[in-house]
Amino acid sequence: MEDTNQTLKDVQKRVDEYISQFKEGYFSPLALMARLSEETGELAREINHYYGEKPKKATEKENTVEEEVGDMIFVLACLANSLDFDLSDSFEQSMQKFETRDKNRWTKKEEEEKNGN
């Protein structure tokens, strides 16, 4: 198993090295979006099996939530590579948005402790 402390840049590079060995290259952005939707559905199914009310059938393959999230990361890296943007930059932009827009949306733990809750 590879180093599990990979940066998003490392992930994108590894995915690109994998995809680059095939003549077909990256799928179109629309096809990748469809694939991401498919993987999202598979993740939802696994979460429903593990945490919901729908147990797996005896004939169903044993997948894990972790495996499905990994598949989604792979497809997101394919999308970012095919559109030539950096996932690290995307994540940074998203975190800045959450850290400013939503900074007072929920009760912070230290505020709760001050109020005796």
Side-chain angles (χ1 to χ4, degrees):
M1 185 169 213
E2 291 288 319
D3 178 13
T4 57
N5 292 316
Q6 299 176 63
T7 67
L8 289 172
K9 287 184 190 311
D10 294 336
V11 168
Q12 282 188 255
K13 183 176 185 282
R14 187 169 174 194
V15 167
D16 192 59
E17 288 169 355
Y18 174 76
I19 296 294
S20 294
Q21 66 184 325
F22 303 109
K23 281 198 259 185
E24 294 82 1
Y26 289 102
F27 294 154
S28 71
L30 186 59
L32 288 169
M33 186 62 230
R35 183 140 181 235
L36 185 60
S37 296
E38 179 184 336
E39 296 298 346
T40 302
E42 291 175 11
L43 175 62
R45 185 174 181 84
E46 286 304 305
I47 288 176
N48 195 19
H49 288 315
Y50 285 101
Y51 305 105
E53 290 72 38
K54 185 178 179 187
K56 279 188 180 276
K57 297 176 191 170
T59 57
E60 284 184 284
K61 179 182 170 233
E62 188 66 32
N63 288 348
T64 65
V65 169
E66 182 179 11
E67 181 181 341
E68 298 305 337
V69 168
D71 290 348
M72 292 178 73
I73 292 169
F74 177 84
V75 176
L76 285 170
C78 286
L79 184 63
N81 287 349
S82 73
L83 295 175
D84 195 30
F85 67 85
D86 187 316
L87 282 173
S88 296
D89 292 341
S90 296
F91 179 73
E92 183 60 31
Q93 290 170 25
S94 186
M95 284 306 299
Q96 286 181 10
K97 176 178 65 179
F98 287 112
E99 289 168 344
T100 56
R101 180 191 70 191
D102 295 339
K103 69 180 180 179
N104 295 315
R105 184 175 243 177
W106 294 280
T107 306
K108 293 189 176 161
K109 289 181 179 181
E110 59 271 7
E111 288 175 18
E112 188 177 271
E113 291 167 2
K114 279 194 280 186
N115 295 331
N117 294 334

